Amino acid sequence: MNLKGKSAIVTGSTKGIGRAIAEGLVREGANVCISARHGGEVERAVAELSGIGGAQVVGAVCDVRDYDEVKALIAHAVEEFGGLDILVNNAGIGHFAAVEEMSPEDFRAVLETNLFGVFYCCREAIPHMKRRGGGYIINISSLAGKNAHPRMAAYNASKFGLNGFSEALMQEVRHDGIRVSYIMPGSVNTYFGGDQPSAEKGWQLQPEDIARVVIDLLHHDERSLPSAVEIRPSRPPKK
């Protein structure tokens, strides 16, 4: 896919992996709609990315757990850009605790953000992509979507579900010219689950590493579909 002039939405794109993906798309010439839950962060990201190249950058506040907000996000991007070609479902949260200690509210928030939110975005985006003759949906999953760990039951459930959802969706829309891939990163040096980026964790993946995978997927010839990608730190600390 030639990305120049294409239209993209990246959820959860004011910092970390989502921000790196949005910037990578803008540098490739794509028009990008930034979205996140906090208006000030959206405005700042739009202002910073608008100075890169000639691509159009807009923003919208959206909590992907709210279907009405998702509908408004997709409608806003389509109105601004005239259509939609690329959807990157990156928004995600993690609450980590033993099952008996986790509140029902936290468990629900993880599933609603990491899985329901992806469903909402895909459901709204697919008709617009069909009208364009095709598109690309990329879901940011995790190696936790295939490797379970204690105190991660909610996050594991959301990402195992996301992987299955992505594989089923890929088969549903492939003959409409819509490609679907999911990326499973290992440890990333970013803001997540209360963590902060730090030099001590320099062995971890960087957000830009995930952005590079997204751009590479979009550049694949349409005859090929790398439907699932695992990426992990090449030299983690020895145990």
Side-chain angles (χ1 to χ4, degrees):
M1 181 186 294
N2 182 352
L3 300 183
K4 191 171 183 61
K6 297 296 185 182
S7 301
I9 295 173
V10 185
T11 65
S13 49
T14 57
K15 57 188 176 183
I17 292 173
R19 170 60 183 266
I21 292 170
E23 181 171 339
L25 288 167
V26 171
R27 292 189 181 279
E28 290 282 327
N31 302 315
V32 177
C33 181
I34 302 290
S35 81
R37 291 180 292 170
H38 304 294
E41 294 181 1
V42 172
E43 292 176 3
R44 182 165 58 252
V46 170
E48 292 171 353
L49 294 182
S50 292
I52 300 173
Q56 185 180 358
V57 182
V58 301
V61 175
C62 179
D63 184 339
V64 297
R65 295 176 295 181
D66 188 316
Y67 186 39
D68 288 334
E69 290 191 22
V70 169
K71 288 194 289 185
L73 166 65
I74 304 295
H76 175 66
V78 170
E79 181 179 1
E80 290 289 329
F81 302 146
L84 181 62
D85 304 295
I86 300 162
L87 170 65
V88 182
N89 287 302
N90 170 75
I93 62 171
H95 292 298
F96 306 107
V99 170
E100 64 179 327
E101 300 168 355
M102 176 168 283
S103 71
E105 292 77 17
D106 284 347
F107 188 86
R108 184 178 300 111
V110 173
L111 270 292
E112 288 183 348
T113 303
N114 298 0
L115 187 54
F116 281 61
V118 175
F119 163 71
Y120 295 155
C121 289
C122 291
R123 187 180 191 279
E124 288 300 302
I126 287 169
H128 294 289
M129 291 183 175
K130 286 183 176 179
R131 284 193 280 272
R132 301 274 268 196
Y136 212 135
I137 297 171
I138 297 177
N139 297 327
I140 306 302
S141 183
S142 168
L143 286 176
K146 59 179 295 185
N147 303 311
H149 298 280
R151 302 182 66 82
M152 290 180 63
Y155 191 69
N156 284 141
S158 71
K159 295 302 186 178
F160 270 73
L162 177 57
N163 291 355
F165 173 85
S166 301
E167 292 185 5
L169 179 64
M170 178 268 291
Q171 296 179 57
E172 286 184 14
V173 299
R174 63 199 307 178
H175 295 295
D176 297 302
I178 300 173
R179 291 180 287 169
V180 179
S181 300
Y182 60 102
I183 301 172
M184 294 175 281
S187 300
V188 183
N189 194 3
T190 187
Y191 303 90
F192 187 75
D195 288 343
Q196 299 285 329
S198 68
E200 290 75 18
K201 295 185 290 187
W203 59 270
Q204 294 182 338
L205 298 167
Q206 296 298 316
E208 293 75 17
D209 298 326
I210 315 306
R212 181 178 299 177
V213 174
V214 170
I215 299 302
D216 287 347
L217 286 172
L218 293 168
H219 280 311
H220 262 263
D221 192 282
E222 291 186 3
R223 69 176 175 272
S224 67
L225 178 61
S227 55
V229 179
E230 295 183 12
I231 178 171
R232 52 177 51 82
S234 58
R235 299 186 67 180
K238 291 184 177 180
K239 295 183 179 180

